[in-house]
Each structure stands twice: as C-alpha cells, then as structure tokens.
Amino acid sequence: DAGVTQSPTHLIKTRGQQVTLRCSPKSGHDTVSWYQQALGQGPQFIFQYYEEEERQRGNFPDRFSGHQFPNYSSELNVNALLLGDSALYLCASSLAARGSFGYTFGSGTRLTVV
Amino acid sequence: DQQVKQNSPSLSVQEGRISILNCDYTNSMFDYFLWYKKYPAEGPTFLISISSIKDKNEDGRFTVFLNKSAKHLSLHIVPSQPGDSAVYFCASDKLIFGTGTRLQVFP
C-alpha cells in the first residue's frame, strides 16, 4: 500500500519564479494538508483541501495557493518566490472523519530558492 | 505566538537509559496532543497521543505524561534504543507543531 507520494523530491528555483509541488495521498484518504518546514523549525500549516476546496488556511500569503483534483491528489503553487520560501514542503493526507488522527506524511519536497 | 514549544533542540542519551522529551503549550483549549517522530529524508510519523482528560498514556516503550496545570507534556522512552535517534515533534490537536527535539541514542 503506497503511502503519500510527493514530487519532485528536490527543486532549485530562482527568486521571483513560480513553483508547483505535487502530492498523491495515501489510498483511501480524502483530505490533503500542506506544511512548510523551515530549517530548525517544526512544520507550519499552510492549508488543507477537502472535496476539492480549501477548507482551512494557515498564516501564509496569497502567493501560496493550491488545488485538489477529483482523485484527491493535490498541488501547491508558490508565486513570486522569495529566498525565505526555501524549506521542506510536506504533504499529509488523512480521512476527514478522523480529524487530526491518522495523518500520513510524505517525505517532502526540498525547495531551494537562489 | 508559538503555541507549542519545545525548548530543548537536542538530547543525547545512552542506550538502555530513559529519554525524556519535553513540550509546553499555551492554549488550554487543546483537546489532545500528539507526538511525531521524523527520520532524515522521511516525513513525520505518528508515535503516540494523549487526550486532555488524561494525564498518562502508555504504548510499549513510549509513555506520554500531561500536566494540565503546568501546560506541559513529556514523552518518555525507556529503554532508549539507537533506532530511536530521530527528531521528535509534539503537536496540538490542530497540528500546531513544536520546533522539535533531536534525540541521539548512543551505544
């Protein structure tokens, strides 16, 4: 049973560019959450998608946007990249009915902005 | 405002001894807390949780204690094993994470 798959694993972008990160949830899960983990910090919640809609959002600017597809996979888009956007981006899938339990995290995408 | 805090960035413990990882929180409304473990190049994995109505939850070598009056929780690992070496995060029920504690268990 495949867990959460994220692509790409590593990415280098130039300041001002745009980036799209992808996430395939664990089989049977219907909710996808995205987190940013900066160096030396814990994961910080960006937003959560359920039924193809953004259900919750953390304290991140509008440059961060997302999408969920009918097959529950999701994308995270970041526009106008800043050096401070360099981080590990984690995707977690879950079942909406279980709340915060049963989250399965992917291995993340390491984004470096130069 | 950091609602969940882990003030010790690292901890080194000898194999077989007890590891104690600490976490403090500021919001009394959290219903439960979770501990996650993260190995390098992997995502965090769920370890153990505790409801706010309990003061202890045990699962094998792992025990979490909750002190509501002090707004403090701790994860005890006994006996510690080298495979326990990882970064440990505590998180609230809203998945607000602490900054993590890197545990190293040496032989």
Side-chain angles (χ1 to χ4, degrees), chain B residues 5-56:
Chain B
K5 301 177 186 179
Q6 293 176 261
N7 293 317
S8 298
S10 64
L11 176 67
S12 186
V13 172
Q14 189 173 29
E15 181 179 6
R17 302 284 199 137
I18 185 171
S19 296
I20 300 176
L21 297 96
N22 295 304
C23 179
D24 298 299
Y25 61 95
T26 57
N27 189 339
S28 300
M29 302 303 292
F30 292 140
D31 289 330
Y32 53 88
F33 297 89
L34 310 100
W35 283 92
Y36 280 81
K37 178 164 97 171
K38 185 181 186 300
Y39 292 117
E42 295 184 14
T45 56
F46 170 74
L47 191 57
I48 191 170
S49 65
I50 186 166
S51 167
S52 62
I53 64 172
K54 296 191 173 183
D55 54 17
K56 178 182 175 181

Side-chain angles (χ1 to χ4, degrees), chain A residues 35 37 42-43 100-101 103 105-106, chain B residues 32 43-44 49 89 93 95 97-99:
Chain A
Y35 290 81
Q37 186 182 4
S100 298
F101 286 99
Y103 271 54
F105 283 84
Chain B
Y32 53 88
S49 65
F89 294 99
D93 54 355
L95 286 192
F97 285 83
T99 52

Side-chain angles (χ1 to χ4, degrees), chain B residues 11-16 19 80-85 103-107:
Chain B
L11 176 67
S12 186
V13 172
Q14 189 173 29
E15 181 179 6
S19 296
S80 301
Q81 299 174 354
D84 296 329
S85 298
L103 172 65
Q104 182 180 2
V105 180
F106 59 92

